[in-house]
């Protein structure tokens, strides 16, 4: 690891590749309370894609390149909660060994998820920080658009949205068409995204939107979906994103 030239506490950032992560990272960089030394991402080992989002590893690597922060990846072969916790603990130990005592998350309002993350960290001495916590999601997504960020939906839940919403740019037109019960940031798992441009990227990532694929819900993904009980999730639509 390079020397902390700014004399700021070192932190790792839990990076999904989506719009909330991108917006949150900008906030962290602007506030200059931490030096972010890693972007941490979870991928599926068989497919080498971001779990739940379905984003290819090469797209994540490109994001890390244009951001200028190293990507720290850990892989899941089974996708169970037990495996996730075991692999995450290995990452946390690595961070601890390198003197990193803060992990930053882009979660906004899911209390159970925050509690889960804090519980996993509590015995490590590493602090969890949530810069976007309790922000108004309508403000957040509109500010995201107004500042010139660009993002495309890569996965949508069929409990809320149909095929037409996947592979779409997140802009005012997209927001206008969202059903009223869908959170503007998709914080309940209604949709996920890939950010291909942020004001701090060294360049825009030119992407292609290819095939749309439907995948039925499996027992392994159920634990990762915090959705209202009245909405029955049968599966997810994915858009195959690539680089031009």
């Amino acid at each position: 690891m390079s020397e902390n030239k700014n004399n700021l506490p070192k932190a790792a950032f839990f990076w999904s590749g989506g719009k909330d992560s991108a917006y949150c990272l900008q906030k962290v960089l602007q506030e200059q309370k931490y030096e972010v030394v890693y972007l941490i991402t979870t991928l599926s080992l068989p497919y080498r894609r971001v779990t739940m989002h379905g984003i290819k590893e090469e797209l994540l690597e490109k994001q890390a390149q244009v951001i200028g922060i190293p990507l720290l990846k850990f892989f899941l072969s089974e996708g169970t909660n037990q495996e996730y916790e075991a692999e995450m603990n290995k990452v946390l130990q690595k961070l601890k060994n390198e003197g990193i005592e803060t992990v930053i998350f882009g979660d906004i309002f899911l209390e159970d998820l925050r509690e889960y993350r804090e519980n996993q960290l509590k015995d490590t001495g590493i602090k969890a920080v949530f810069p976007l916590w309790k922000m108004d999601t309508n403000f957040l997504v509109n500010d995201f658009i107004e500042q010139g960020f660009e993002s495309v939906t890569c996965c949508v839940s069929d409990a809320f949205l149909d095929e037409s919403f996947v592979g779409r740019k997140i802009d005012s037109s997209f927001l206008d068409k969202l059903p009223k019960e869908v959170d503007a940031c998709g914080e309940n798992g209604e949709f996920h995204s890939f950010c291909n441009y942020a004001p701090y990227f060294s360049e825009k990532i030119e992407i292609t939107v290819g095939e749309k694929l439907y995948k039925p819900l499996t027992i392994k993904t159920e634990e990762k979906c915090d959705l209202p009980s009245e909405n029955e999730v049968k599966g997810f639509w994915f858009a195959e994103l690539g680089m031009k």
Side-chain angles (χ1 to χ4, degrees):
M1 293 301 298
S2 60
E3 182 182 353
N4 186 356
K5 297 179 181 179
N6 297 322
N7 294 318
L8 296 173
K10 292 191 289 186
F13 189 97
F14 208 84
W15 179 258
S16 71
K19 64 174 179 16
D20 299 338
S21 275
Y23 187 89
C24 184
L25 181 57
Q26 174 170 268
K27 190 173 190 298
V28 172
L29 296 174
Q30 289 176 337
E31 291 177 348
Q32 297 186 342
K33 294 179 181 178
Y34 304 97
E35 180 195 10
V36 179
V37 296
Y38 285 124
L39 304 177
I40 303 176
T41 303
T42 313
L43 298 101
S44 162
L45 183 59
Y47 304 106
R48 303 191 80 87
R49 294 172 182 256
V50 180
T51 54
M52 277 308 299
H53 292 215
I55 294 298
K56 294 177 181 178
E57 184 179 8
E58 64 185 51
L59 285 170
L60 285 171
E61 292 282 8
K62 183 63 176 179
Q63 283 180 322
Q65 177 188 329
V66 299
I67 293 169
I69 299 175
L71 190 63
L72 179 59
K73 300 170 283 190
F74 67 98
F75 295 88
L76 303 179
S77 58
E78 300 171 6
T80 63
N81 197 53
Q82 183 178 11
E83 182 190 25
Y84 172 85
E85 292 181 356
E87 293 303 315
M88 183 61 170
N89 285 335
K90 294 177 185 177
V91 171
L92 295 175
Q93 187 58 55
K94 172 181 171 61
L95 300 182
K96 189 72 174 176
N97 291 343
E98 295 185 13
I100 300 169
E101 297 182 345
T102 302
V103 176
I104 302 169
F105 298 96
D107 304 308
I108 305 172
F109 61 67
L110 296 180
E111 299 280 357
D112 290 348
L113 183 55
R114 175 169 179 159
E115 182 180 359
Y116 174 79
R117 296 198 193 285
E118 290 176 333
N119 285 339
Q120 190 168 21
L121 293 177
K122 69 180 181 180
D123 294 329
T124 67
I126 296 176
K127 178 178 63 174
V129 172
F130 301 83
L132 304 185
W133 192 248
K134 297 299 184 182
M135 280 188 67
D136 179 85
T137 52
N138 285 293
F139 167 81
L140 193 157
V141 71
N142 280 286
D143 193 46
F144 176 92
I145 294 167
E146 288 172 10
Q147 288 197 49
F149 286 81
E150 292 188 23
S151 190
V152 174
T153 55
C154 54
C155 171
V156 304
S157 167
D158 70 353
F160 298 94
L161 302 170
D162 60 32
E163 179 184 359
S164 68
F165 283 91
V166 71
R168 287 191 55 178
K169 181 178 179 179
I170 297 178
D171 53 16
S172 57
S173 174
F174 174 84
L175 297 179
D176 288 343
K177 290 180 171 61
L178 284 180
K180 63 180 181 179
E181 69 271 18
V182 172
D183 178 71
C185 284
E187 180 70 351
N188 293 305
E190 300 100 326
F191 62 91
H192 301 288
S193 61
F194 174 79
C195 182
N196 60 303
Y197 181 72
Y200 53 90
F201 283 16
S202 62
E203 64 179 282
K204 180 178 177 179
I205 303 173
E206 298 292 346
I207 59 173
T208 59
V209 180
E211 181 184 8
K212 296 180 180 181
L213 180 66
Y214 181 78
K215 293 186 178 181
L217 180 68
T218 67
I219 190 67
K220 291 181 182 179
T221 58
E222 186 174 291
E223 63 192 1
K224 298 185 182 296
C225 299
D226 191 351
L227 299 166
S229 58
E230 62 268 21
N231 295 94
E232 184 181 357
V233 184
K234 296 184 178 67
F236 299 89
W237 282 101
F238 291 88
E240 181 71 1
L241 303 185
M243 282 190 291
K244 288 185 179 179

